[in-house]
């Protein structure tokens, strides 16, 4: 029989906090991290809102616990900061004490730094220290640097599937544990804001010049964000032998590739529907057992219609409480799945349903509306967390209260 998978450590950094506790407090206080960039040199600096981590790269070196030196991109530094907390919470001082794999996710890699020296790099007449940033553009560069710094030497992999990347990383790690390859995995993702990403999404005409409004009739697009998050996953046998503190159980997951369009989901939510349905079936939970859904909820015209229709198809007239937390963190792309998986654990632990900020008007295509006020003292036992990426790469996770 496949092993159960437990979550035993969590670490994160986002625009609303440098760690899990700070994120929880800002969620409780309903304080958004959206604003305008201080660190990106762009013509949209005072035009397009973003959710930026409130630290320079120099400050991030300190948060990451390493000395400042060349070659470490902002993406890597965000990842190291979140990793440090995740390992600490899991009581891991040395990853070599037990076989431990590392699955990392990123879509931009070191683009945040390479784009600053792009014209120097392509100029054959120029040379200098900037050349060392060429290889950092590879998404696996931040993975390897984190692995080398922390000491991972077992299975190490990088996943880049757009907005579903770190949800898929968690899925991959859980699969390895269930199949007995490794007893412990650290999975998640890291992403820094870049000019390239901002320009790219803006060219698709799905970036809002106001703070994003998921599931609102007047929504016009997303706001990008940055951050990192990692979760420590352990097999049941390892967790019990190690006397680990179990935070929650990772009970179900599914990736459903619909391949409807390079950048748009199926209008009827086919992929989202299949992903949620199969993840729930794997978890052994029923539709009635779901207490909260942290939706992908990007506030783009296409996503919210598609995801909303999928919810109505799956749950009928009894759609559970749901909300998008992206008005807090922005859309952190590859890091979003892991960030929101941590929010799912917090919802279970704290008995909270997080509000969908900025919502005012119900969408005419749907019969459902998100939660708009913080709900406290709620019994939350099972949460679905959705992350849907370009190309129809749809990932749904089911995270459940640990019952022993």
């Amino acid at each position: 029989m496949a092993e159960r998978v437990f979550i035993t450590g969590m670490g994160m950094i986002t625009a609303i906090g440098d760690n899990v506790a700070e994120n929880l407090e800002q969620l409780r206080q309903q304080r958004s991290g959206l604003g305008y960039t201080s660190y990106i040199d762009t013509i949209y600096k005072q035009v397009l809102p973003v959710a930026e981590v409130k630290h320079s790269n120099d400050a991030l070196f300190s948060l990451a616990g390493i000395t400042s030196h060349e070659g470490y991109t902002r993406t890597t530094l965000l990842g190291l900061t979140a990793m440090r907390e995740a390992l600490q919470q899991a009581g891991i001082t040395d990853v070599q004490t037990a076989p431990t794999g590392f699955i990392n996710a990123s879509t931009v890699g070191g683009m945040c730094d390479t784009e600053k020296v792009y014209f120097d790099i392509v100029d054959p007449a120029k040379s200098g220290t900037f050349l060392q940033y060429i290889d950092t553009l590879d998404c696996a560069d931040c993975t390897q640097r984190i692995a080398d710094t922390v000491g991972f030497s077992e299975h190490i992999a990088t996943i880049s599937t757009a907005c579903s990347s770190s949800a898929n990383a968690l899925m991959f790690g859980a699969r390895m544990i269930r199949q007995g390859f490794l007893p412990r995995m650290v999975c998640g993702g890291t992403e820094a804001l870049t000019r390239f990403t901002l320009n790219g999404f803006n060219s698709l005409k799905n970036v809002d010049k106001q703070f994003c409004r998921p599931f609102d009739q007047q929504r016009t697009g997303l706001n990008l964000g940055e951050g990192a998050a990692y979760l420590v996953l352990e097999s049941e046998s390892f967790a019990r032998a190690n006397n680990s503190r179990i935070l929650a159980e990772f009970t179900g997951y599914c990736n459903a590739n619909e391949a409807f369009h390079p950048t748009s989901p199926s209008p009827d939510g086919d992929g989202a529907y299949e992903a949620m349905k199969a993840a729930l079936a794997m978890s052994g939970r029923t539709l009635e057992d779901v207490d909260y859904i942290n939706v992908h909820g990007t506030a783009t015209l296409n996503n919210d219609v598609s995801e909303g229709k999928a919810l109505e198809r799956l749950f009928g007239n009894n759609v559970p409480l749901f909300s998008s937390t992206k008005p807090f963190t922005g859309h952190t792309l590859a890091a979003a799945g892991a960030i929101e998986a941590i929010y799912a654990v917090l919802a279970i632990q704290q008995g909270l349903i997080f509000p969908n900020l900025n919502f005012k008007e119900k969408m005419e295509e749907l019969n459902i509306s998100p939660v708009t006020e913080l709900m406290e003292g709620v019994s939350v036992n099972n949460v679905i967390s959705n992350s849907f990426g370009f190309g129809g790469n749809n990932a749904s996770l089911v995270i459940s209260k640990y019952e022993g």
Side-chain angles (χ1 to χ4, degrees):
M1 181 180 292
E3 289 256 29
R4 294 166 70 187
V5 179
F6 296 142
I7 298 167
T8 61
M10 307 185 299
M12 70 194 314
I13 180 169
T14 72
I16 61 171
D18 297 343
N19 50 52
V20 173
E22 288 183 10
N23 271 261
L24 175 59
E25 179 59 22
Q26 296 307 301
L27 289 167
R28 283 185 183 276
Q29 297 299 324
Q30 303 177 57
R31 291 179 185 147
S32 171
L34 290 169
Y36 294 94
T37 179
S38 297
Y39 303 114
I40 303 176
D41 183 13
T42 170
I43 61 173
Y44 299 117
K45 195 165 190 174
Q46 296 299 323
V47 178
L48 300 178
V50 294
E52 189 171 58
V53 170
K54 310 301 190 288
H55 297 289
S56 67
N57 284 9
D58 288 340
L60 287 174
F61 272 106
S62 178
L63 283 174
I66 60 174
T67 56
S68 179
H69 52 282
E70 296 289 337
Y72 276 66
T73 66
R74 186 173 180 86
T75 306
T76 299
L77 294 172
L78 290 169
L80 282 168
T81 301
M83 177 65 70
R84 186 181 186 189
E85 182 187 16
L87 296 178
Q88 184 178 41
Q89 188 180 52
I92 302 171
T93 55
D94 181 359
V95 295
Q96 293 291 330
T97 58
T100 305
F102 175 40
I103 312 296
N104 188 42
S106 185
T107 66
V108 302
M111 190 186 298
C112 48
D113 291 271
T114 56
E115 67 181 11
K116 297 175 184 176
V117 293
Y118 172 76
F119 291 105
D120 291 330
I121 290 172
V122 298
D123 186 345
K126 289 190 175 183
S127 64
T129 58
F130 63 83
L131 292 173
Q132 66 188 300
Y133 282 100
I134 294 176
D135 290 340
T136 69
L137 185 60
D138 190 322
C139 289
D141 175 81
C142 60
T143 304
Q144 193 61 56
R145 288 180 187 268
I146 293 170
D148 290 344
T149 302
V150 174
F152 292 109
S153 61
E154 298 284 345
H155 188 88
I156 301 168
T158 305
I159 290 180
S160 186
T161 56
C163 312
S164 58
S165 298
S166 58
N168 285 328
L170 287 162
M171 209 178 298
F172 186 13
R175 289 177 65 192
M176 292 195 72
I177 289 173
R178 286 172 60 85
Q179 298 305 315
F181 287 106
L182 286 168
R184 184 167 69 190
M185 301 291 298
V186 183
C187 309
T190 180
E191 201 85 296
L193 285 164
T194 77
R195 276 200 312 269
F196 185 90
T197 317
L198 193 60
N199 291 341
F201 276 92
N202 193 45
S203 71
L204 293 173
K205 301 186 186 303
N206 62 6
V207 177
D208 200 335
K209 292 183 180 180
Q210 301 179 50
F211 290 176
C212 65
R213 297 158 282 179
F215 285 88
D216 189 276
Q217 177 66 21
Q218 303 305 321
R219 72 199 183 284
T220 61
L222 53 75
N223 304 135
L224 289 170
E226 65 179 0
Y230 295 101
L231 293 88
V232 179
L233 307 180
E234 296 181 2
S235 68
E236 179 178 18
S237 58
F238 179 85
R240 297 200 188 286
N242 193 52
N243 198 29
S244 301
R245 186 167 77 94
I246 297 168
L247 307 176
E249 183 174 358
F250 189 8
T251 53
Y253 47 81
C254 178
N255 179 291
N257 285 274
E258 64 183 47
F260 173 79
H261 182 274
T263 60
S264 295
S266 161
D268 295 322
D270 294 336
Y273 170 81
E274 293 295 339
M276 288 188 288
K277 181 180 178 181
L280 201 55
M282 179 184 179
S283 74
R285 273 64 177 176
T286 66
L287 295 174
E288 293 73 25
D289 290 331
V290 179
D291 301 301
Y292 171 54
I293 303 173
N294 186 301
V295 292
H296 187 52
T298 57
T300 60
L301 297 177
N302 291 334
N303 175 85
D304 292 7
V305 170
S306 176
E307 187 171 13
K309 287 186 176 181
L311 290 172
E312 292 182 336
R313 285 174 63 185
L314 183 59
F315 292 96
N317 295 324
N318 299 299
V319 175
L321 299 171
F322 73 93
S323 65
S324 170
T325 48
K326 288 182 174 66
F328 286 96
T329 63
H331 190 355
T332 56
L333 304 181
I339 287 171
E340 291 165 19
I342 291 177
Y343 289 171
V345 175
L346 293 176
I348 292 168
Q349 289 182 325
Q350 304 294 325
L352 299 174
I353 305 293
F354 305 118
N356 192 116
L357 301 180
N358 309 325
F359 178 87
K360 292 181 180 178
E361 183 180 350
K362 186 173 76 67
M363 290 169 53
E364 62 184 20
E365 300 93 338
L366 302 176
N367 296 313
I368 56 176
S369 297
V371 172
T372 58
E373 299 290 338
L374 178 71
M375 297 177 63
E376 301 181 86
V378 182
S379 177
V380 182
N381 295 304
N382 299 286
V383 178
I384 293 177
S385 182
N386 288 335
S387 297
F388 305 143
F390 282 167
N393 194 296
N394 302 282
S396 291
L397 314 178
V398 180
I399 296 173
S400 304
K401 184 177 182 179
Y402 171 59
E403 301 288 1

